[in-house]
């Protein structure tokens, strides 16, 4: 691995790709102390009494986390937009949905406080679109039997605890004892195979910081790349004073045609600027769903060449996927486009992100589960819908999602992938149709 000194001047799995920036942020933020268990001994009843009025749901977000303002607010904003539109149509069987939000500040102690406030004080029926940097309160939510629907899996909580339903599903037993299968999770190599098959990529560079979380994630990427036959170039920089020009120079010398990373958004932009300055050209600079937003022109303003080869991958339909397939050859199919247009109309003129769309889908998921109960709405009924064998797609916004509780991890899995490429003047352009861009892949183990 090439470890580059600081500059003189200051300044495997698809699931893991989504969590890269968060893993790094956990290192910076620390977990904080947790509130003692006895502060949560008074639990709500299994089904809060219904007065026939509004239905109260809670949304926990690390809105003011150490990572920076608005980094994690997309799912919250998407969920609120969905519930606002739902209430304008009459709510759920005539009951308006009351959304109660809580900012946990990105810390474990703050997260526990939010859980206490929403469940014990506000008596919410369920949590929706949780996006917590440190989901320390997850065991308390699970113990209370409160369904947590469509949360972002920034920590292993959604592969650990019952009653928690992450936006991307889970096959793990979720007994509450350890993540996945005895502390081991599994993921496929669909991202790396896609770029090998569609762009002919053969040499991939993985750029990370010299910190444990970043380096560990980079090793996971490298393992998946090697499993797909890539020659892997490992690059590592100092976090405090990263010398991205040295990385860019080596990328040019190694003739890398694919660049992936375990960096934050700022680091990605500076890497691209260094590549631009040294004339480094690659087939693709790959980022993750957390950076799938309309702020690309601002974030990569100093690197138009890198911006032109910026790709993103995920498990949900591109929020820019609104045109009919007949309009252009490189847009996706029409299966989920009406739902995308509905989402965009509700968001109005606000800057858009993929996390907002996934928050919208999470709110839709809860709504569909609640509607399935009719007049006999209980948490048990909602969870019966969540645990049904039929996959859920949120009207085509999500790749099929289910919760399987498998005793043994799958050795292979048929996995589909949503891929988009940035184009100035057009935004994110879908590359193929996510529902058919699929492959059966071996599942590689990793420890979160």
């Amino acid at each position: 691995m090439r470890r580059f000194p600081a500059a003189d001047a200051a300044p495997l799995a698809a699931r893991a790709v989504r969590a890269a920036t968060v893993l790094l942020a956990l290192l910076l933020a620390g977990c904080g102390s947790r509130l003692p268990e006895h502060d949560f001994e008074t639990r709500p009843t299994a089904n809060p009494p219904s007065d026939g009025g509004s239905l109260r749901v809670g949304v926990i977000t690390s809105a003011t986390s150490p990572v920076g303002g608005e980094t994690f607010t997309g799912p919250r904003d998407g969920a609120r937009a969905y519930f606002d539109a739902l209430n304008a149509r009459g709510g759920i069987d005539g009951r308006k949905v009351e959304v109660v939000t809580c900012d946990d500040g990105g810390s474990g102690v703050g997260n526990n406080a939010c859980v206490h406030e929403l469940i014990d004080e506000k008596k919410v029926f369920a949590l929706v679109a949780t996006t917590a940097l440190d989901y320390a309160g997850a065991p308390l939510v699970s113990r209370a039997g409160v369904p947590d629907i469509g949360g972002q899996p920034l920590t292993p909580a959604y592969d650990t605890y019952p009653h928690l339903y992450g936006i991307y599903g889970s096959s793990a037993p979720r007994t509450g004892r350890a993540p996945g299968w005895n502390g081991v999770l599994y993921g496929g190599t669909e991202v790396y195979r896609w770029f090998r098959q569609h762009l002919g990529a053969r040499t991939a560079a993985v750029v990370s910081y010299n910190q444990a979380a970043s380096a560990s994630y980079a090793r996971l990427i490298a393992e998946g790349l090697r499993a797909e036959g890539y020659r892997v170039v490992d690059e590592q920089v100092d976090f405090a004073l990263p010398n991205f020009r040295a990385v860019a120079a080596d990328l040019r010398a190694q003739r890398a045609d694919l660049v992936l990373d375990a960096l934050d958004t700022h680091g990605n932009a500076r890497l691209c600027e260094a590549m631009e300055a040294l004339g480094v050209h690659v087939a693709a600079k790959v980022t993750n769903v957390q950076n799938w937003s309309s702020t690309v022109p601002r974030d990569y303003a100093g690197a138009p060449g890198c911006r032109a080869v910026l790709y993103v991958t995920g498990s949900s339909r591109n929020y820019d996927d609104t045109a009919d397939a007949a309009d252009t050859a490189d847009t996706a199919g029409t299966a989920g486009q009406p739902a995308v247009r509905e989402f965009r109309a509700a968001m109005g003129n606000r800057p858009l992100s993929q996390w907002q769309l996934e928050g919208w889908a999470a709110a839709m998921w809860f709504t569909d589960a609640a509607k399935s109960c009719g007049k006999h709405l209980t948490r048990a009924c909602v969870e019966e819908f969540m645990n049904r064998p039929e996959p859920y797609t949120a009207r085509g916004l999500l790749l099929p999602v289910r919760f399987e509780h498998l005793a043994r991890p799958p050795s292979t899995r048929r996995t589909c992938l949503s891929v988009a490429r940035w184009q100035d003047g057009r935004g994110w352009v879908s590359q193929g149709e996510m529902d058919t861009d699929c492959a059966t892949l071996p599942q590689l183990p990793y420890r979160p």
Side-chain angles (χ1 to χ4, degrees), residues 181-197:
W181 292 265
N182 297 317
V184 179
L185 296 175
Y186 291 77
T189 58
E190 57 272 15
V191 172
Y192 320 125
R193 180 167 296 190
W194 192 94
F195 287 98
R196 178 169 62 83
Q197 291 182 338

Side-chain angles (χ1 to χ4, degrees), residues 48-71:
S50 171
D51 57 5
S54 63
L55 181 62
R56 187 174 293 174
V57 300
V59 181
I60 299 176
T61 308
S62 297
T64 57
S65 74
V67 183
E70 300 185 357
T71 301

Side-chain angles (χ1 to χ4, degrees), residues 329-352:
D330 56 2
T331 55
T334 60
Q337 288 170 353
V340 173
R341 289 193 286 268
E342 182 183 0
F343 158 74
R344 291 176 64 101
M347 296 303 293
N349 295 322
R350 284 177 281 187
L352 297 176

Side-chain angles (χ1 to χ4, degrees), residues 15 47 60 71 165 210 222 225 239 267 278 304-305 408 422 433:
R15 186 178 312 189
N47 296 293
I60 299 176
T71 301
Y165 302 91
N210 61 342
L225 287 165
F239 175 75
L278 296 183
R408 296 180 180 178
W422 179 265
E433 167 54 39

Side-chain angles (χ1 to χ4, degrees), residues 58 60 100 102 114-120 122-124 127:
I60 299 176
V100 184
C102 189
C114 278
V115 169
H116 176 67
E117 176 185 340
L118 294 181
I119 294 179
D120 293 339
K122 301 296 185 180
K123 308 293 185 183
V124 299
L127 299 177

Side-chain angles (χ1 to χ4, degrees), residues 39-49 115-127 139-147 379:
D39 285 356
F40 297 88
E41 286 176 353
T42 302
R43 308 303 333 153
T45 58
N47 296 293
V115 169
H116 176 67
E117 176 185 340
L118 294 181
I119 294 179
D120 293 339
E121 297 176 12
K122 301 296 185 180
K123 308 293 185 183
V124 299
F125 179 82
L127 299 177
L140 308 174
V141 174
S142 179
R143 193 152 52 245
V146 175
R379 287 173 174 160

Side-chain angles (χ1 to χ4, degrees), residues 66-430:
V67 183
E70 300 185 357
T71 301
F72 300 110
T73 57
R76 178 200 67 188
D77 295 344
R80 293 187 70 166
Y82 182 87
F83 285 130
D84 286 345
L86 176 70
N87 286 337
R89 300 192 302 267
I92 300 175
D93 290 327
R95 299 176 65 181
K96 297 296 181 70
V97 176
E98 178 187 354
V99 180
V100 184
T101 62
C102 189
D103 174 13
D104 68 10
S107 72
V109 66
N111 187 263
N112 273 327
C114 278
V115 169
H116 176 67
E117 176 185 340
L118 294 181
I119 294 179
D120 293 339
E121 297 176 12
K122 301 296 185 180
K123 308 293 185 183
V124 299
F125 179 82
L127 299 177
V128 176
T130 299
T131 311
L133 182 60
D134 179 7
Y135 200 177
L140 308 174
V141 174
S142 179
R143 193 152 52 245
V146 175
D148 177 348
I149 297 174
Q152 288 290 337
L154 307 186
T155 74
Y158 290 97
D159 285 305
T160 305
Y161 298 101
H163 308 294
L164 273 60
Y165 302 91
I167 191 67
Y168 308 121
S170 176
S171 298
R174 293 188 297 132
T175 62
R177 290 190 289 271
W181 292 265
N182 297 317
V184 179
L185 296 175
Y186 291 77
T189 58
E190 57 272 15
V191 172
Y192 320 125
R193 180 167 296 190
W194 192 94
F195 287 98
R196 178 169 62 83
Q197 291 182 338
H198 289 80
L199 300 186
R202 290 296 181 270
T203 299
V206 184
V207 187
S208 64
Y209 291 123
N210 61 342
Q211 290 185 329
S214 181
S216 175
Y217 169 63
R219 287 193 296 272
L220 178 62
I221 296 176
E223 180 183 353
L225 287 165
R226 291 189 178 99
E228 287 295 330
Y230 285 85
R231 181 173 74 89
V232 178
V233 179
D234 294 306
E235 312 275 9
Q236 191 174 91
V237 295
D238 182 78
F239 175 75
L241 295 172
N243 190 344
F244 286 117
R245 287 182 67 89
V247 172
D250 196 59
L251 294 180
R252 183 173 57 191
Q254 296 288 338
R255 299 178 182 241
D257 46 25
L258 185 67
V259 178
L260 303 100
D261 66 87
L263 307 174
D264 54 1
T265 302
H266 177 68
N268 266 292
R270 291 191 61 196
L271 173 60
C272 276
E273 290 168 3
M275 292 168 61
E276 195 90 1
L278 296 183
V280 179
H281 302 288
V282 296
K285 170 67 184 73
V286 186
T287 187
N288 56 63
V289 69
Q290 191 177 352
N291 299 315
W292 193 338
S293 72
S294 59
T295 63
V296 167
R298 180 195 69 194
D299 296 337
Y300 296 87
C306 192
R307 193 170 67 236
V309 293
L310 192 64
Y311 285 77
V312 68
T313 65
S315 299
S316 53
R317 187 169 298 280
N318 178 11
Y319 73 79
D320 269 338
D321 185 12
T322 58
D324 291 334
D327 293 341
T328 177
D330 56 2
T331 55
T334 60
Q337 288 170 353
V340 173
R341 289 193 286 268
E342 182 183 0
F343 158 74
R344 291 176 64 101
M347 296 303 293
N349 295 322
R350 284 177 281 187
L352 297 176
S353 75
Q354 199 67 11
W355 264 12
Q356 290 171 347
L357 181 139
E358 292 183 352
W360 171 280
M364 183 189 298
W365 204 350
F366 167 77
T367 300
D368 288 344
K371 285 182 175 179
S372 74
C373 302
K375 298 297 183 181
H376 305 287
L377 178 60
T378 65
R379 287 173 174 160
C381 176
V382 166
E383 292 206 61
E384 183 178 345
F385 183 92
M386 299 302 298
N387 287 311
R388 64 181 188 164
E390 298 84 6
Y392 185 77
T393 68
R395 317 288 193 277
L397 294 179
L398 302 175
L399 286 171
V401 186
R402 60 167 59 90
F403 297 91
E404 298 176 289
H405 300 274
L406 300 180
R408 296 180 180 178
S411 57
T412 63
R413 180 178 291 280
R414 181 168 173 78
T415 308
C416 304
L417 189 65
S418 178
V419 183
R421 179 181 180 178
W422 179 265
Q423 290 188 19
D424 288 344
R426 297 183 63 189
W428 291 105
V429 178
S430 297

